[in-house]
Amino acid sequence: MKMASSAPSSSLLLLLLLLIVLLAAAATASSPNRNGYVHLRFYNHERILGSGPNATVVYSVHRTSSSSVSGFGNVYVYDNLLRAGVETDSPIIGRNQGMGVGSSMAENSGLTNFQLVFTAGEYNGSSLALQGLFPVAPLGTLFERAITGGTGKFRLARGYLLTSEVHATNTTLTGQLDAYISFR
Ligand SMILES: *[C@@H]1O[C@H](CO)[C@@H](O)[C@H](O)[C@H]1NC(C)=O
Ligand SMILES: *[C@@H]1O[C@H](CO)[C@@H](O)[C@H](O)[C@H]1NC(C)=O
Ligand SMILES: *[C@@H]1O[C@H](CO)[C@@H](O)[C@H](O)[C@H]1NC(C)=O
């Protein structure tokens, strides 16, 4: 009797252990995690508006002279580098090309519409389409924008992008980008 009742519980324990090991393995894998999302991390390297001839962000409409990039009615265009790391010499993996609009009368946020175009690695030639608000907020503030589609290996992609600016100088701004992509 004792043997019969303890056998199922020890095999249950073994099954649980196996499940934990499998879940741990799934969590560290780079392609689809257990929620069905592919997680990619990279860094946006921007030379800020007004930082001189090599700025990667420029005004296309400068309606208000507000010093904020979210000046109401302003429109700007950017072409930033995507690198694998925060370091300015880490490998280039693509470009972040798009536009921003000062869409908030309070000038505390802007609307961005952009494309992440990959030029190296597993996703070379593919791109993600995104849109969403960015807040005017202190360095390190986490904000979210929507992944609305993609091309190449990202066809029919949906998901979300988490961004936080992690490093700033008087001419540069570097953001950590975490993309969570689903194909369901
Ligand atoms: C702009 O880029 C060019 C070419 O890389 C470089 O020679 C020049 O020093 C840069 N200028 C500034 C102000 O960073
Ligand atoms: C990316 O793809 C293009 C076009 O196929 C190719 O010319 C280029 O060498 C690739 N770049 C890298 C870094 O693999
Ligand atoms: C930016 O910072 C550098 C030192 O890191 C300094 O030499 C330069 O004058 C600063 N430029 C402006 C416009 O403040």
Side-chain angles (χ1 to χ4, degrees):
M1 271 314 256
K2 256 196 154 113
M3 282 293 280
S5 67
S6 75
S9 72
S10 68
S11 61
L12 194 71
L13 201 71
L14 205 72
L15 208 75
L16 272 174
L17 276 173
L18 192 70
L19 199 70
I20 288 166
V21 168
L22 283 175
L23 285 178
T28 53
S30 68
S31 50
N33 65 19
R34 65 181 182 278
N35 299 317
Y37 284 96
V38 172
H39 174 206
L40 302 175
R41 172 174 288 177
F42 34 82
Y43 293 83
N44 181 63
H45 288 253
E46 175 173 321
R47 282 195 300 272
I48 63 173
L49 202 60
S51 65
N54 295 341
T56 58
V57 189
V58 297
Y59 281 118
S60 47
V61 174
H62 199 175
R63 177 184 168 274
T64 159
S65 58
S66 158
S67 60
S68 166
V69 288
S70 64
F72 188 56
N74 289 346
V75 179
Y76 48 95
V77 170
Y78 65 86
D79 182 0
N80 298 334
L81 280 178
L82 295 177
R83 292 183 184 272
V86 182
E87 306 72 27
T88 51
D89 61 352
S90 78
I92 294 170
I93 57 162
R95 307 191 80 90
N96 171 6
Q97 299 173 321
M99 60 180 290
V101 177
S103 57
S104 154
M105 290 185 79
E107 303 197 343
N108 56 16
S109 67
L111 172 66
T112 52
N113 195 325
F114 59 113
Q115 203 81 10
L116 301 181
V117 182
F118 295 90
T119 54
E122 186 184 349
Y123 299 102
N124 185 9
S126 299
S127 71
L128 287 170
L130 302 94
Q131 63 180 27
L133 288 180
F134 72 89
V136 175
L139 203 72
T141 303
L142 192 67
F143 62 101
E144 178 176 347
R145 287 172 289 182
I147 296 172
T148 55
T151 65
K153 288 188 174 168
F154 294 123
R155 274 184 189 170
L156 302 177
R158 289 185 304 138
Y160 57 100
L161 180 78
L162 299 180
T163 301
S164 83
E165 307 298 350
V166 291
H167 184 69
T169 69
N170 59 12
T171 53
T172 65
L173 186 60
T174 309
Q176 178 177 296
L177 272 48
D178 285 285
Y180 293 87
I181 303 154
S182 162
F183 298 93
R184 287 176 296 181

